[in-house]
Amino acid sequence: MFGKVISVELGPIKTRICEVDYKKKSPRIYNCITFDTPGGSYQDGYILDKDALAATIEENVKNAGIKSKRLVFSLMSTKIANREVLIPQVKKERIQDVVMANVEQYFPMDISEHAITYSVLEKLTIDNERKLRLLVLAAPDSMINEYYSLAKLLGYEVEAIDYMGNSVYQLVKNHIGKDMSMVIHIHGQMTILNIFENTTLALHRVVNFGYLSILDAIKDGDSSLSDEEAYYLLSNEALVDREPYRLDEVAVASAGESIGWDLQERVNDSFQYLIENIGRILDYISRNENKRISNIYIMGQASGWKGLKEYISNGLGIEVKYFDATGLANTRKNLNMDSEDLLVYMPGIGASMQAVNFIPKEYLEQIIRSSNLTAFIVTFSTGVLISIALILIGLLSYKDRLNTNNILKTEIDNLSYINEIYEEHEMETERLKQIESIYDLTLNSNEHFISLLGDIEDKLPTMAIVDSINVTSQGLVISLVADSEPTVAKTLQQLKSIEGLSQVYTSSLDIAEDDFGLKSVKFVVNAAYDQELLFDNGSNEEQED
């Protein structure tokens, strides 16, 4: 018996928790709760303030009467890389070894500080050779470690950390039917698209679009709206309905502000980016595989947005449905929730079934050390016996050596003053090195890098993602990926406005479009430190101190 677990889906606005059976094909749901994610505690898969998050989780779990102390997380992030690969069919316990042996070929980047895992999608026979099709995943250790730290702070145990795409896949794969279908899950910064054929995951794609982009569109008309107020409007108003409508005055008043009549148009324009990307994938399948998607399913929190089902159906010309959540999982009789209410908890429920389980290297080493404990005890016991034998042999000559030792101790005591002089010399030499090192550090421009990094994060457009930053004593070289050339221009304009940077320009620009027609622009921005301004600011801060 695996028992119950607490399955957690963190989000930038809301956190959802359900108490559910662990590792069951049709898990029973015992409790479900939703609460506001503490501001500034979570962003793009990273836990930024585990103390605030732990306090909020502990309070809400306690109020809900949830007793389990074992955690499962379902997470999504732009920093999690995924790749579909084929490997020879091997035993289950050998799959991870094969993946790790080829992981540098799967991900052309430094993966030394990443947790690597996989999900088996299907077994194939190609040219009389049996193969396994895998979805291989890589997540930063720094991200995964924070989830273990959060569990430790709560006094809980981490059972598994799942990739949200896999959570969705595990939950619906046996309920999707044989027709080719697409399952859409919209998260904060990204949207997961899983395409099934004959109950098998035929294609997994992630679109760089999430509901945070929609919230930005809502707030464009009224900057005084908070993310929470914008999310309330999205959840309670038919903002994505193509037909003209009149906003409910009570709902608007509860958000604290009057909204302009162009609100629906801004939201529709924002969703159009997602529709266009899905349309390119549909065209690719039709053109290259001569196949057609029959049904589209929406799951997760987007299933509660009024008008979204009709909007997607009208935009793509395909019937859009919701899953019957009560058919995907079992519910307790006293759980007062209908199928539509349960849909928002589907990723969390799926994570409890068969998680890919990201394990950071630090924790993995602890497991290896624990598994080797028995062997260590045996080796240690043998060593103790050998040591005893050696001690007995040594005792035979102990008395002869004792007199010699006493004579040498007397000579050492007579020369002890030399040791004091030497230690004093070493101490003064070390102090001199420290002073010289401190002096050298005062002349380094990079002491201002942290404040500049905060300005860069604040200024960058939402659709521009930093791939890497190379820092030198003279300036920065930033590699980015954007969705369009206007975003590149906006990025340059924003970076040029940052005090402390000068000579901001692009040294390379690469526009690419993949097989599905998804456009991306890779570019590199060079920026030099404004030495005079940086050191003037540093001097002012010292005077103020």
Side-chain angles (χ1 to χ4, degrees):
M1 297 293 292
F2 292 103
K4 304 175 188 176
V5 293
I6 301 174
S7 189
V8 183
E9 178 192 352
L10 298 177
I13 306 298
K14 299 288 183 181
T15 293
R16 291 181 168 83
I17 286 179
C18 52
E19 187 179 28
V20 62
D21 285 335
Y22 187 47
K23 289 192 174 181
K24 295 290 184 68
K25 290 184 178 180
S26 182
R28 173 168 291 185
I29 307 167
Y30 299 90
N31 211 332
C32 294
I33 56 174
T34 297
F35 51 88
D36 292 337
T37 303
S41 65
Y42 171 89
Q43 182 180 1
D44 193 20
Y46 283 93
I47 295 174
L48 305 180
D49 188 346
K50 56 179 176 289
D51 293 322
L53 201 53
T56 303
I57 290 175
E58 185 175 26
E59 178 184 0
N60 284 274
V61 165
K62 181 179 180 181
N63 293 339
I66 298 174
K67 303 297 183 182
S68 177
K69 299 293 183 181
R70 302 155 64 208
L71 290 174
V72 173
F73 293 97
S74 179
L75 61 98
M76 187 67 187
S77 170
T78 60
K79 305 302 181 184
I80 299 178
N82 70 85
R83 179 68 56 85
E84 289 185 22
V85 302
L86 285 174
I87 67 169
Q89 186 170 327
V90 296
K91 293 182 179 180
K92 183 178 180 180
E93 56 269 19
R94 289 285 319 283
I95 296 177
Q96 185 72 23
D97 293 336
V98 175
V99 169
M100 294 306 298
N102 298 279
V103 69
E104 292 184 357
Q105 299 178 23
Y106 304 154
F107 303 108
M109 60 184 188
D110 182 11
I111 47 84
S112 59
E113 299 299 327
H114 284 68
I116 308 297
T117 187
Y118 67 91
S119 175
V120 178
L121 301 181
E122 64 177 325
K123 297 179 180 180
L124 299 169
T125 300
I126 301 176
D127 296 332
N128 296 321
E129 292 184 8
R130 291 185 295 179
K131 303 280 188 179
L132 293 176
R133 188 165 71 94
L134 308 179
L135 179 65
V136 182
L137 302 151
D141 280 335
S142 57
M143 175 189 296
I144 305 302
N145 280 326
E146 288 302 313
Y147 288 83
Y148 280 85
S149 298
L150 175 62
K152 184 177 181 180
L153 197 61
L154 287 165
Y156 292 175
E157 178 183 353
V158 175
E159 284 292 338
I161 299 178
D162 197 18
Y163 170 61
M164 193 171 293
N166 181 68
S167 302
V168 174
Y169 164 62
Q170 295 296 338
L171 183 64
V172 306
K173 66 180 181 180
N174 295 322
H175 303 272
I176 199 68
K178 294 185 177 181
D179 294 335
M180 181 170 275
S181 303
M182 175 184 288
V183 178
I184 300 175
H185 178 71
I186 303 175
H187 201 248
Q189 291 183 289
M190 309 182 80
T191 295
I192 300 169
L193 305 177
N194 283 338
I195 298 176
F196 291 82
E197 185 177 18
N198 292 325
T199 70
T200 299
L201 183 62
L203 192 67
H204 171 79
R205 288 292 179 268
V206 176
V207 178
N208 189 26
F209 172 89
Y211 62 75
L212 289 180
S213 298
I214 308 169
L215 301 188
D216 288 341
I218 294 174
K219 294 187 296 180
D220 279 347
D222 188 343
S223 59
S224 66
L225 284 175
S226 66
D227 284 340
E228 290 75 13
E229 291 168 335
Y231 187 86
Y232 176 88
L233 288 174
L234 178 63
S235 302
N236 292 275
E237 288 294 330
L239 301 186
V240 289
D241 193 335
R242 289 189 168 188
E243 297 300 325
Y245 74 104
R246 185 176 183 84
L247 285 171
D248 176 42
E249 296 179 358
V250 176
V252 173
S254 67
E257 200 66 54
S258 176
I259 310 298
W261 294 111
D262 65 338
L263 173 57
Q264 186 184 34
E265 182 179 358
R266 295 198 308 273
V267 173
N268 285 357
D269 289 344
S270 179
F271 265 114
Q272 192 60 31
Y273 178 80
L274 176 62
I275 296 296
E276 290 173 355
N277 279 276
I278 295 175
R280 292 190 185 100
I281 294 175
L282 298 181
D283 291 341
Y284 174 86
I285 294 173
S286 175
R287 184 175 61 255
N288 292 277
E289 300 183 19
N290 197 25
K291 296 178 181 178
R292 182 181 182 276
I293 290 179
S294 302
N295 301 298
I296 293 178
Y297 294 89
I298 302 175
M299 66 182 306
Q301 53 199 310
S303 60
W305 299 344
K306 297 179 180 179
L308 179 60
K309 182 169 71 171
E310 293 78 9
Y311 184 86
I312 295 178
S313 179
N314 292 336
L316 298 173
I318 299 175
E319 183 180 6
V320 178
K321 303 177 181 179
Y322 295 143
F323 283 104
D324 180 5
T326 57
L328 299 177
N330 296 319
T331 57
R332 295 180 62 184
K333 294 181 179 179
N334 61 347
L335 187 64
N336 187 25
M337 301 182 73
D338 57 24
S339 178
E340 291 185 4
D341 293 331
L342 284 173
L343 281 174
V344 299
Y345 296 98
M346 292 296 99
I349 297 171
S352 72
M353 299 175 68
Q354 192 175 341
V356 295
N357 199 11
F358 291 106
I359 302 178
K361 289 182 176 60
E362 179 182 345
Y363 188 72
L364 190 60
E365 290 171 357
Q366 294 177 9
I367 295 175
I368 294 173
R369 287 196 296 267
S370 177
S371 65
N372 291 332
L373 181 59
T374 302
F376 171 76
I377 292 174
V378 172
T379 303
F380 179 76
S381 300
T382 304
V384 169
L385 294 175
I386 295 173
S387 299
I388 292 174
L390 293 173
I391 290 171
L392 291 174
I393 295 172
L395 285 174
L396 296 176
S397 60
Y398 174 72
K399 290 184 178 181
D400 292 335
R401 301 291 182 181
L402 183 60
N403 290 333
T404 303
N405 184 54
N406 290 333
I407 294 172
L408 292 174
K409 283 184 177 179
T410 302
E411 294 179 357
I412 291 172
D413 290 340
N414 292 335
L415 298 173
S416 61
Y417 71 94
I418 297 176
N419 188 53
E420 294 176 359
I421 295 173
Y422 174 79
E423 290 179 351
E424 183 177 355
H425 175 267
E426 288 294 304
M427 186 183 303
E428 294 301 324
T429 302
E430 183 63 26
R431 287 176 181 172
L432 178 60
K433 290 180 179 179
Q434 291 176 358
I435 292 172
E436 290 174 347
S437 298
I438 292 172
Y439 176 76
D440 291 339
L441 289 174
T442 63
L443 302 177
N444 195 334
S445 300
N446 283 328
E447 66 187 83
H448 305 280
F449 173 68
I450 298 301
S451 61
L452 285 175
L453 183 60
D455 292 337
I456 292 172
E457 291 177 340
D458 292 337
K459 295 283 188 177
L460 281 180
T462 304
M463 302 306 292
I465 300 175
V466 175
D467 185 48
S468 66
I469 299 180
N470 185 22
V471 183
T472 69
S473 60
Q474 301 301 317
L476 309 174
V477 180
I478 310 174
S479 297
L480 305 99
V481 180
D483 63 320
S484 64
E485 294 89 334
T487 302
V488 175
K490 182 68 178 293
T491 302
L492 283 174
Q493 182 181 11
Q494 292 290 85
L495 291 177
K496 288 179 179 179
S497 67
I498 297 176
E499 291 187 356
L501 294 181
S502 65
Q503 302 177 24
V504 179
Y505 65 95
T506 57
S507 59
S508 70
L509 185 72
D510 183 17
I511 303 174
E513 187 169 318
D514 63 15
D515 294 338
F516 304 100
L518 301 181
K519 187 177 182 181
S520 65
V521 182
K522 296 182 179 180
F523 62 105
V524 176
V525 176
N526 293 69
Y529 288 133
D530 190 333
Q531 303 286 350
E532 182 177 355
L533 180 59
L534 286 177
F535 284 110
D536 285 347
N537 289 340
S539 300
N540 294 335
E541 291 175 359
E542 291 176 359
Q543 293 174 3
E544 290 175 1
D545 291 343

